[in-house]
Amino acid sequence: MMYTLHYDSPLGGILLAADEVGLTGLWFDGEKYFADTLDPEHKAQEMPLLREAKRWLDVYFRGQEPDFTPPLHPIGSPFRQEVWALLLQIPYGQTTTYGTLAKHLAAMHGLPRMSAQAVGGAVGHNEISIIIPCHRVVGTNGSLTGYAGGIDKKAKLLTLEKIRMEHLFPPTNYSLTPSTR
């Protein structure tokens, strides 16, 4: 059985989902792939795992690095699981690139190279955003690309973590100013 809880963050509403093993989803309301892995038979009910995820978010949105991680149960292919495990290794307040993740994954498998686009696809389908920090992955050139919650939220999450933003920028033809979208 999956359980859900709504969380009001400073960046908008978030839907949390968990089963008896761990957190299965954390989605901004209306984001791309919203609740893709949510069981249709879920129940809106607060449970210990969801309370722990909510506590993690409270710490995070106060601008602090949480000193714990709630139990996680991401649902995805073995390849996606590997990519998501790499995301969990990106330190708070730091970024990496899709290309760097691809090189690391290729080395893990003894391959000469791996597609950064394939890695980007797995990053983009991360169902437990923020806690599995896909927002810390940027384009090699510094582009703030590929965040299902929206580029504006990605920039705000990076700013919250005090990441220096002067070398990062939105993709071409994208504005972080809502009035110009």
Side-chain angles (χ1 to χ4, degrees):
M1 173 61 90
M2 280 193 182
Y3 302 91
T4 60
L5 176 70
H6 193 266
Y7 179 85
D8 290 318
S9 87
L11 302 182
I14 291 175
L15 178 65
L16 298 167
D19 59 18
E20 292 79 12
V21 176
L23 196 65
T24 58
L26 188 160
W27 305 277
F28 281 104
D29 290 346
E31 78 171 48
K32 189 175 183 180
Y33 312 121
F34 180 80
D36 268 5
T37 58
L38 184 60
D39 187 330
E41 300 297 317
H42 68 278
K43 183 177 184 181
Q45 176 182 321
E46 192 165 313
M47 61 176 290
L49 282 167
L50 292 173
R51 278 193 295 276
E52 191 169 352
K54 187 176 170 184
R55 188 169 64 88
W56 190 98
L57 289 168
D58 287 342
V59 172
Y60 181 83
F61 282 116
R62 282 196 303 267
Q64 301 169 342
E65 179 181 4
D67 61 359
F68 67 98
T69 302
L72 303 175
H73 189 207
I75 300 164
S77 70
F79 177 73
R80 286 182 179 180
Q81 296 281 345
E82 283 186 307
V83 172
W84 299 336
L86 288 177
L87 296 178
L88 285 166
Q89 296 175 27
I90 306 168
Y92 180 93
Q94 295 182 33
T95 61
T96 192
T97 66
Y98 296 97
T100 299
L101 291 174
K103 287 177 188 171
H104 189 75
L105 205 54
M108 287 171 45
H109 289 278
L111 299 171
R113 62 180 210 85
M114 179 158 297
S115 164
Q117 288 80 13
V119 169
V123 171
H125 281 86
N126 169 27
E127 298 287 336
I128 308 174
S129 65
I130 307 174
I131 296 176
I132 298 179
C134 52
H135 61 280
R136 295 180 189 151
V137 184
V138 299
T140 301
N141 64 356
S143 176
L144 294 174
T145 186
Y147 189 64
I151 301 301
D152 54 336
K153 285 184 176 68
K154 182 173 187 163
K156 289 175 183 175
L157 292 169
L158 295 174
T159 301
L160 179 71
E161 293 185 26
K162 297 175 181 58
I163 291 173
R164 297 181 63 176
M165 299 293 288
E166 63 270 5
H167 67 286
L168 301 174
F169 57 91
T172 308
N173 298 327
Y174 186 90
S175 172
L176 293 178
T177 309
S179 61
T180 61
R181 271 193 257 161

